[in-house]
mmCIF file with all atom_site columns, all heavy atoms in Angstrom:
data_model
loop_
_atom_site.group_PDB
_atom_site.id
_atom_site.type_symbol
_atom_site.label_atom_id
_atom_site.label_alt_id
_atom_site.label_comp_id
_atom_site.label_asym_id
_atom_site.label_entity_id
_atom_site.label_seq_id
_atom_site.pdbx_PDB_ins_code
_atom_site.Cartn_x
_atom_site.Cartn_y
_atom_site.Cartn_z
_atom_site.occupancy
_atom_site.B_iso_or_equiv
_atom_site.pdbx_formal_charge
_atom_site.auth_seq_id
_atom_site.auth_comp_id
_atom_site.auth_asym_id
_atom_site.auth_atom_id
_atom_site.pdbx_PDB_model_num
ATOM 1   N N   . ILE A 1 284 ? 7.696  16.345 19.722 1.00 98.00 ? 284 ILE A N   1
ATOM 2   C CA  . ILE A 1 284 ? 8.610  15.717 18.758 1.00 98.00 ? 284 ILE A CA  1
ATOM 3   C C   . ILE A 1 284 ? 9.954  15.424 19.421 1.00 98.00 ? 284 ILE A C   1
ATOM 4   O O   . ILE A 1 284 ? 10.505 14.320 19.292 1.00 98.00 ? 284 ILE A O   1
ATOM 5   C CB  . ILE A 1 284 ? 8.804  16.613 17.523 1.00 98.00 ? 284 ILE A CB  1
ATOM 6   C CG1 . ILE A 1 284 ? 7.493  16.754 16.741 1.00 98.00 ? 284 ILE A CG1 1
ATOM 7   C CG2 . ILE A 1 284 ? 9.900  16.040 16.610 1.00 98.00 ? 284 ILE A CG2 1
ATOM 8   C CD1 . ILE A 1 284 ? 7.536  17.815 15.661 1.00 98.00 ? 284 ILE A CD1 1
ATOM 9   N N   . GLU A 1 285 ? 10.485 16.413 20.111 1.00 98.00 ? 285 GLU A N   1
ATOM 10  C CA  . GLU A 1 285 ? 11.763 16.218 20.807 1.00 98.00 ? 285 GLU A CA  1
ATOM 11  C C   . GLU A 1 285 ? 11.662 15.064 21.796 1.00 98.00 ? 285 GLU A C   1
ATOM 12  O O   . GLU A 1 285 ? 12.582 14.244 21.913 1.00 98.00 ? 285 GLU A O   1
ATOM 13  C CB  . GLU A 1 285 ? 12.149 17.508 21.545 1.00 98.00 ? 285 GLU A CB  1
ATOM 14  C CG  . GLU A 1 285 ? 12.448 18.700 20.646 1.00 98.00 ? 285 GLU A CG  1
ATOM 15  C CD  . GLU A 1 285 ? 13.894 18.739 20.174 1.00 98.00 ? 285 GLU A CD  1
ATOM 16  O OE1 . GLU A 1 285 ? 14.645 17.786 20.477 1.00 98.00 ? 285 GLU A OE1 1
ATOM 17  O OE2 . GLU A 1 285 ? 14.264 19.708 19.496 1.00 98.00 ? 285 GLU A OE2 1
ATOM 18  N N   . TYR A 1 286 ? 10.565 15.002 22.521 1.00 98.00 ? 286 TYR A N   1
ATOM 19  C CA  . TYR A 1 286 ? 10.362 13.971 23.532 1.00 98.00 ? 286 TYR A CA  1
ATOM 20  C C   . TYR A 1 286 ? 10.222 12.592 22.894 1.00 98.00 ? 286 TYR A C   1
ATOM 21  O O   . TYR A 1 286 ? 10.756 11.596 23.407 1.00 98.00 ? 286 TYR A O   1
ATOM 22  C CB  . TYR A 1 286 ? 9.119  14.315 24.353 1.00 98.00 ? 286 TYR A CB  1
ATOM 23  C CG  . TYR A 1 286 ? 8.805  13.326 25.444 1.00 98.00 ? 286 TYR A CG  1
ATOM 24  C CD1 . TYR A 1 286 ? 9.435  13.403 26.689 1.00 98.00 ? 286 TYR A CD1 1
ATOM 25  C CD2 . TYR A 1 286 ? 7.864  12.312 25.252 1.00 98.00 ? 286 TYR A CD2 1
ATOM 26  C CE1 . TYR A 1 286 ? 9.147  12.497 27.703 1.00 98.00 ? 286 TYR A CE1 1
ATOM 27  C CE2 . TYR A 1 286 ? 7.565  11.400 26.254 1.00 98.00 ? 286 TYR A CE2 1
ATOM 28  C CZ  . TYR A 1 286 ? 8.213  11.498 27.473 1.00 98.00 ? 286 TYR A CZ  1
ATOM 29  O OH  . TYR A 1 286 ? 7.926  10.596 28.469 1.00 98.00 ? 286 TYR A OH  1
ATOM 30  N N   . GLY A 1 287 ? 9.479  12.514 21.784 1.00 98.00 ? 287 GLY A N   1
ATOM 31  C CA  . GLY A 1 287 ? 9.161  11.225 21.178 1.00 98.00 ? 287 GLY A CA  1
ATOM 32  C C   . GLY A 1 287 ? 10.112 10.743 20.115 1.00 98.00 ? 287 GLY A C   1
ATOM 33  O O   . GLY A 1 287 ? 9.980  9.623  19.623 1.00 98.00 ? 287 GLY A O   1
ATOM 34  N N   . TRP A 1 288 ? 11.094 11.573 19.747 1.00 98.00 ? 288 TRP A N   1
ATOM 35  C CA  . TRP A 1 288 ? 12.006 11.211 18.654 1.00 98.00 ? 288 TRP A CA  1
ATOM 36  C C   . TRP A 1 288 ? 12.991 10.130 19.100 1.00 98.00 ? 288 TRP A C   1
ATOM 37  O O   . TRP A 1 288 ? 13.587 10.207 20.169 1.00 98.00 ? 288 TRP A O   1
ATOM 38  C CB  . TRP A 1 288 ? 12.761 12.454 18.196 1.00 98.00 ? 288 TRP A CB  1
ATOM 39  C CG  . TRP A 1 288 ? 13.635 12.229 16.994 1.00 98.00 ? 288 TRP A CG  1
ATOM 40  C CD1 . TRP A 1 288 ? 14.994 12.131 16.971 1.00 98.00 ? 288 TRP A CD1 1
ATOM 41  C CD2 . TRP A 1 288 ? 13.213 12.104 15.640 1.00 98.00 ? 288 TRP A CD2 1
ATOM 42  N NE1 . TRP A 1 288 ? 15.447 11.937 15.686 1.00 98.00 ? 288 TRP A NE1 1
ATOM 43  C CE2 . TRP A 1 288 ? 14.371 11.914 14.841 1.00 98.00 ? 288 TRP A CE2 1
ATOM 44  C CE3 . TRP A 1 288 ? 11.968 12.119 15.007 1.00 98.00 ? 288 TRP A CE3 1
ATOM 45  C CZ2 . TRP A 1 288 ? 14.324 11.752 13.459 1.00 98.00 ? 288 TRP A CZ2 1
ATOM 46  C CZ3 . TRP A 1 288 ? 11.910 11.960 13.631 1.00 98.00 ? 288 TRP A CZ3 1
ATOM 47  C CH2 . TRP A 1 288 ? 13.075 11.776 12.872 1.00 98.00 ? 288 TRP A CH2 1
ATOM 48  N N   . ASP A 1 289 ? 13.141 9.111  18.269 1.00 98.00 ? 289 ASP A N   1
ATOM 49  C CA  . ASP A 1 289 ? 14.088 8.026  18.531 1.00 98.00 ? 289 ASP A CA  1
ATOM 50  C C   . ASP A 1 289 ? 15.475 8.486  18.100 1.00 98.00 ? 289 ASP A C   1
ATOM 51  O O   . ASP A 1 289 ? 15.788 8.517  16.911 1.00 98.00 ? 289 ASP A O   1
ATOM 52  C CB  . ASP A 1 289 ? 13.659 6.779  17.755 1.00 98.00 ? 289 ASP A CB  1
ATOM 53  C CG  . ASP A 1 289 ? 14.548 5.571  18.025 1.00 98.00 ? 289 ASP A CG  1
ATOM 54  O OD1 . ASP A 1 289 ? 15.633 5.741  18.623 1.00 98.00 ? 289 ASP A OD1 1
ATOM 55  O OD2 . ASP A 1 289 ? 14.154 4.458  17.626 1.00 98.00 ? 289 ASP A OD2 1
ATOM 56  N N   . LYS A 1 290 ? 16.297 8.841  19.065 1.00 98.00 ? 290 LYS A N   1
ATOM 57  C CA  . LYS A 1 290 ? 17.608 9.416  18.755 1.00 98.00 ? 290 LYS A CA  1
ATOM 58  C C   . LYS A 1 290 ? 18.586 8.391  18.207 1.00 98.00 ? 290 LYS A C   1
ATOM 59  O O   . LYS A 1 290 ? 19.624 8.757  17.654 1.00 98.00 ? 290 LYS A O   1
ATOM 60  C CB  . LYS A 1 290 ? 18.164 10.101 20.004 1.00 98.00 ? 290 LYS A CB  1
ATOM 61  C CG  . LYS A 1 290 ? 17.331 11.305 20.448 1.00 98.00 ? 290 LYS A CG  1
ATOM 62  C CD  . LYS A 1 290 ? 17.853 11.931 21.728 1.00 98.00 ? 290 LYS A CD  1
ATOM 63  C CE  . LYS A 1 290 ? 17.038 13.173 22.088 1.00 98.00 ? 290 LYS A CE  1
ATOM 64  N NZ  . LYS A 1 290 ? 15.603 12.880 22.276 1.00 98.00 ? 290 LYS A NZ  1
ATOM 65  N N   . GLU A 1 291 ? 18.263 7.127  18.346 1.00 98.00 ? 291 GLU A N   1
ATOM 66  C CA  . GLU A 1 291 ? 19.153 6.083  17.820 1.00 98.00 ? 291 GLU A CA  1
ATOM 67  C C   . GLU A 1 291 ? 18.833 5.724  16.378 1.00 98.00 ? 291 GLU A C   1
ATOM 68  O O   . GLU A 1 291 ? 19.726 5.608  15.535 1.00 98.00 ? 291 GLU A O   1
ATOM 69  C CB  . GLU A 1 291 ? 19.063 4.831  18.694 1.00 98.00 ? 291 GLU A CB  1
ATOM 70  C CG  . GLU A 1 291 ? 20.019 3.734  18.271 1.00 98.00 ? 291 GLU A CG  1
ATOM 71  C CD  . GLU A 1 291 ? 19.977 2.531  19.193 1.00 98.00 ? 291 GLU A CD  1
ATOM 72  O OE1 . GLU A 1 291 ? 19.285 2.595  20.232 1.00 98.00 ? 291 GLU A OE1 1
ATOM 73  O OE2 . GLU A 1 291 ? 20.639 1.516  18.870 1.00 98.00 ? 291 GLU A OE2 1
ATOM 74  N N   . HIS A 1 292 ? 17.549 5.563  16.067 1.00 98.00 ? 292 HIS A N   1
ATOM 75  C CA  . HIS A 1 292 ? 17.168 5.076  14.741 1.00 98.00 ? 292 HIS A CA  1
ATOM 76  C C   . HIS A 1 292 ? 16.356 6.089  13.942 1.00 98.00 ? 292 HIS A C   1
ATOM 77  O O   . HIS A 1 292 ? 16.092 5.857  12.757 1.00 98.00 ? 292 HIS A O   1
ATOM 78  C CB  . HIS A 1 292 ? 16.356 3.785  14.874 1.00 98.00 ? 292 HIS A CB  1
ATOM 79  C CG  . HIS A 1 292 ? 17.126 2.655  15.485 1.00 98.00 ? 292 HIS A CG  1
ATOM 80  N ND1 . HIS A 1 292 ? 18.113 1.976  14.805 1.00 98.00 ? 292 HIS A ND1 1
ATOM 81  C CD2 . HIS A 1 292 ? 17.060 2.095  16.723 1.00 98.00 ? 292 HIS A CD2 1
ATOM 82  C CE1 . HIS A 1 292 ? 18.626 1.037  15.585 1.00 98.00 ? 292 HIS A CE1 1
ATOM 83  N NE2 . HIS A 1 292 ? 18.001 1.091  16.754 1.00 98.00 ? 292 HIS A NE2 1
ATOM 84  N N   . GLY A 1 293 ? 15.960 7.188  14.541 1.00 98.00 ? 293 GLY A N   1
ATOM 85  C CA  . GLY A 1 293 ? 15.097 8.137  13.860 1.00 98.00 ? 293 GLY A CA  1
ATOM 86  C C   . GLY A 1 293 ? 13.644 7.718  13.923 1.00 98.00 ? 293 GLY A C   1
ATOM 87  O O   . GLY A 1 293 ? 13.299 6.584  14.272 1.00 98.00 ? 293 GLY A O   1
ATOM 88  N N   . GLY A 1 294 ? 12.756 8.633  13.619 1.00 98.00 ? 294 GLY A N   1
ATOM 89  C CA  . GLY A 1 294 ? 11.328 8.363  13.686 1.00 98.00 ? 294 GLY A CA  1
ATOM 90  C C   . GLY A 1 294 ? 10.779 8.641  15.074 1.00 98.00 ? 294 GLY A C   1
ATOM 91  O O   . GLY A 1 294 ? 11.519 8.825  16.042 1.00 98.00 ? 294 GLY A O   1
ATOM 92  N N   . ILE A 1 295 ? 9.460  8.676  15.162 1.00 99.00 ? 295 ILE A N   1
ATOM 93  C CA  . ILE A 1 295 ? 8.769  8.998  16.409 1.00 99.00 ? 295 ILE A CA  1
ATOM 94  C C   . ILE A 1 295 ? 8.163  7.727  16.984 1.00 99.00 ? 295 ILE A C   1
ATOM 95  O O   . ILE A 1 295 ? 7.476  6.974  16.281 1.00 99.00 ? 295 ILE A O   1
ATOM 96  C CB  . ILE A 1 295 ? 7.669  10.051 16.157 1.00 99.00 ? 295 ILE A CB  1
ATOM 97  C CG1 . ILE A 1 295 ? 8.295  11.341 15.615 1.00 99.00 ? 295 ILE A CG1 1
ATOM 98  C CG2 . ILE A 1 295 ? 6.891  10.342 17.442 1.00 99.00 ? 295 ILE A CG2 1
ATOM 99  C CD1 . ILE A 1 295 ? 7.278  12.347 15.109 1.00 99.00 ? 295 ILE A CD1 1
ATOM 100 N N   . PHE A 1 296 ? 8.413  7.487  18.253 1.00 98.00 ? 296 PHE A N   1
ATOM 101 C CA  . PHE A 1 296 ? 7.866  6.312  18.920 1.00 98.00 ? 296 PHE A CA  1
ATOM 102 C C   . PHE A 1 296 ? 6.340  6.364  18.935 1.00 98.00 ? 296 PHE A C   1
ATOM 103 O O   . PHE A 1 296 ? 5.738  7.432  18.996 1.00 98.00 ? 296 PHE A O   1
ATOM 104 C CB  . PHE A 1 296 ? 8.379  6.223  20.360 1.00 98.00 ? 296 PHE A CB  1
ATOM 105 C CG  . PHE A 1 296 ? 9.814  5.819  20.480 1.00 98.00 ? 296 PHE A CG  1
ATOM 106 C CD1 . PHE A 1 296 ? 10.757 6.680  21.023 1.00 98.00 ? 296 PHE A CD1 1
ATOM 107 C CD2 . PHE A 1 296 ? 10.242 4.564  20.059 1.00 98.00 ? 296 PHE A CD2 1
ATOM 108 C CE1 . PHE A 1 296 ? 12.088 6.314  21.156 1.00 98.00 ? 296 PHE A CE1 1
ATOM 109 C CE2 . PHE A 1 296 ? 11.564 4.180  20.177 1.00 98.00 ? 296 PHE A CE2 1
ATOM 110 C CZ  . PHE A 1 296 ? 12.493 5.050  20.729 1.00 98.00 ? 296 PHE A CZ  1
ATOM 111 N N   . TYR A 1 297 ? 5.733  5.177  18.960 1.00 98.00 ? 297 TYR A N   1
ATOM 112 C CA  . TYR A 1 297 ? 4.275  5.070  18.999 1.00 98.00 ? 297 TYR A CA  1
ATOM 113 C C   . TYR A 1 297 ? 3.745  5.387  20.402 1.00 98.00 ? 297 TYR A C   1
ATOM 114 O O   . TYR A 1 297 ? 2.832  6.196  20.567 1.00 98.00 ? 297 TYR A O   1
ATOM 115 C CB  . TYR A 1 297 ? 3.882  3.658  18.569 1.00 98.00 ? 297 TYR A CB  1
ATOM 116 C CG  . TYR A 1 297 ? 2.415  3.427  18.305 1.00 98.00 ? 297 TYR A CG  1
ATOM 117 C CD1 . TYR A 1 297 ? 1.497  4.478  18.228 1.00 98.00 ? 297 TYR A CD1 1
ATOM 118 C CD2 . TYR A 1 297 ? 1.950  2.132  18.095 1.00 98.00 ? 297 TYR A CD2 1
ATOM 119 C CE1 . TYR A 1 297 ? 0.168  4.243  17.965 1.00 98.00 ? 297 TYR A CE1 1
ATOM 120 C CE2 . TYR A 1 297 ? 0.611  1.887  17.832 1.00 98.00 ? 297 TYR A CE2 1
ATOM 121 C CZ  . TYR A 1 297 ? -0.276 2.940  17.775 1.00 98.00 ? 297 TYR A CZ  1
ATOM 122 O OH  . TYR A 1 297 ? -1.602 2.695  17.516 1.00 98.00 ? 297 TYR A OH  1
ATOM 123 N N   . PHE A 1 298 ? 4.301  4.754  21.414 1.00 98.00 ? 298 PHE A N   1
ATOM 124 C CA  . PHE A 1 298 ? 3.905  4.997  22.798 1.00 98.00 ? 298 PHE A CA  1
ATOM 125 C C   . PHE A 1 298 ? 5.136  5.132  23.678 1.00 98.00 ? 298 PHE A C   1
ATOM 126 O O   . PHE A 1 298 ? 6.178  4.527  23.407 1.00 98.00 ? 298 PHE A O   1
ATOM 127 C CB  . PHE A 1 298 ? 3.054  3.829  23.354 1.00 98.00 ? 298 PHE A CB  1
ATOM 128 C CG  . PHE A 1 298 ? 1.721  3.662  22.710 1.00 98.00 ? 298 PHE A CG  1
ATOM 129 C CD1 . PHE A 1 298 ? 1.481  2.602  21.844 1.00 98.00 ? 298 PHE A CD1 1
ATOM 130 C CD2 . PHE A 1 298 ? 0.687  4.543  22.976 1.00 98.00 ? 298 PHE A CD2 1
ATOM 131 C CE1 . PHE A 1 298 ? 0.244  2.427  21.251 1.00 98.00 ? 298 PHE A CE1 1
ATOM 132 C CE2 . PHE A 1 298 ? -0.559 4.375  22.388 1.00 98.00 ? 298 PHE A CE2 1
ATOM 133 C CZ  . PHE A 1 298 ? -0.782 3.322  21.527 1.00 98.00 ? 298 PHE A CZ  1
ATOM 134 N N   . LEU A 1 299 ? 4.997  5.900  24.752 1.00 98.00 ? 299 LEU A N   1
ATOM 135 C CA  . LEU A 1 299 ? 6.051  6.024  25.756 1.00 98.00 ? 299 LEU A CA  1
ATOM 136 C C   . LEU A 1 299 ? 5.417  6.076  27.139 1.00 98.00 ? 299 LEU A C   1
ATOM 137 O O   . LEU A 1 299 ? 4.290  6.539  27.304 1.00 98.00 ? 299 LEU A O   1
ATOM 138 C CB  . LEU A 1 299 ? 6.889  7.286  25.513 1.00 98.00 ? 299 LEU A CB  1
ATOM 139 C CG  . LEU A 1 299 ? 7.776  7.283  24.254 1.00 98.00 ? 299 LEU A CG  1
ATOM 140 C CD1 . LEU A 1 299 ? 8.287  8.684  23.973 1.00 98.00 ? 299 LEU A CD1 1
ATOM 141 C CD2 . LEU A 1 299 ? 8.927  6.301  24.398 1.00 98.00 ? 299 LEU A CD2 1
ATOM 142 N N   . ASP A 1 300 ? 6.153  5.599  28.130 1.00 98.00 ? 300 ASP A N   1
ATOM 143 C CA  . ASP A 1 300 ? 5.743  5.710  29.526 1.00 98.00 ? 300 ASP A CA  1
ATOM 144 C C   . ASP A 1 300 ? 6.467  6.911  30.126 1.00 98.00 ? 300 ASP A C   1
ATOM 145 O O   . ASP A 1 300 ? 7.691  7.023  30.022 1.00 98.00 ? 300 ASP A O   1
ATOM 146 C CB  . ASP A 1 300 ? 6.122  4.433  30.284 1.00 98.00 ? 300 ASP A CB  1
ATOM 147 C CG  . ASP A 1 300 ? 5.652  4.442  31.729 1.00 98.00 ? 300 ASP A CG  1
ATOM 148 O OD1 . ASP A 1 300 ? 6.248  5.183  32.544 1.00 98.00 ? 300 ASP A OD1 1
ATOM 149 O OD2 . ASP A 1 300 ? 4.717  3.693  32.047 1.00 98.00 ? 300 ASP A OD2 1
ATOM 150 N N   . TYR A 1 301 ? 5.717  7.797  30.741 1.00 97.00 ? 301 TYR A N   1
ATOM 151 C CA  . TYR A 1 301 ? 6.294  9.048  31.240 1.00 97.00 ? 301 TYR A CA  1
ATOM 152 C C   . TYR A 1 301 ? 7.465  8.809  32.187 1.00 97.00 ? 301 TYR A C   1
ATOM 153 O O   . TYR A 1 301 ? 8.464  9.537  32.156 1.00 97.00 ? 301 TYR A O   1
ATOM 154 C CB  . TYR A 1 301 ? 5.226  9.898  31.928 1.00 97.00 ? 301 TYR A CB  1
ATOM 155 C CG  . TYR A 1 301 ? 5.802  11.092 32.640 1.00 97.00 ? 301 TYR A CG  1
ATOM 156 C CD1 . TYR A 1 301 ? 6.339  12.158 31.915 1.00 97.00 ? 301 TYR A CD1 1
ATOM 157 C CD2 . TYR A 1 301 ? 5.853  11.145 34.032 1.00 97.00 ? 301 TYR A CD2 1
ATOM 158 C CE1 . TYR A 1 301 ? 6.903  13.247 32.561 1.00 97.00 ? 301 TYR A CE1 1
ATOM 159 C CE2 . TYR A 1 301 ? 6.411  12.227 34.682 1.00 97.00 ? 301 TYR A CE2 1
ATOM 160 C CZ  . TYR A 1 301 ? 6.941  13.270 33.942 1.00 97.00 ? 301 TYR A CZ  1
ATOM 161 O OH  . TYR A 1 301 ? 7.506  14.349 34.576 1.00 97.00 ? 301 TYR A OH  1
#
Side-chain angles (χ1 to χ4, degrees):
I284 295 169
E285 295 274 5
Y286 180 83
W288 185 254
D289 183 348
K290 295 177 177 59
E291 184 177 354
H292 297 287
I295 299 170
F296 287 116
Y297 191 11
F298 294 107
L299 291 167
D300 183 287
Y301 171 70

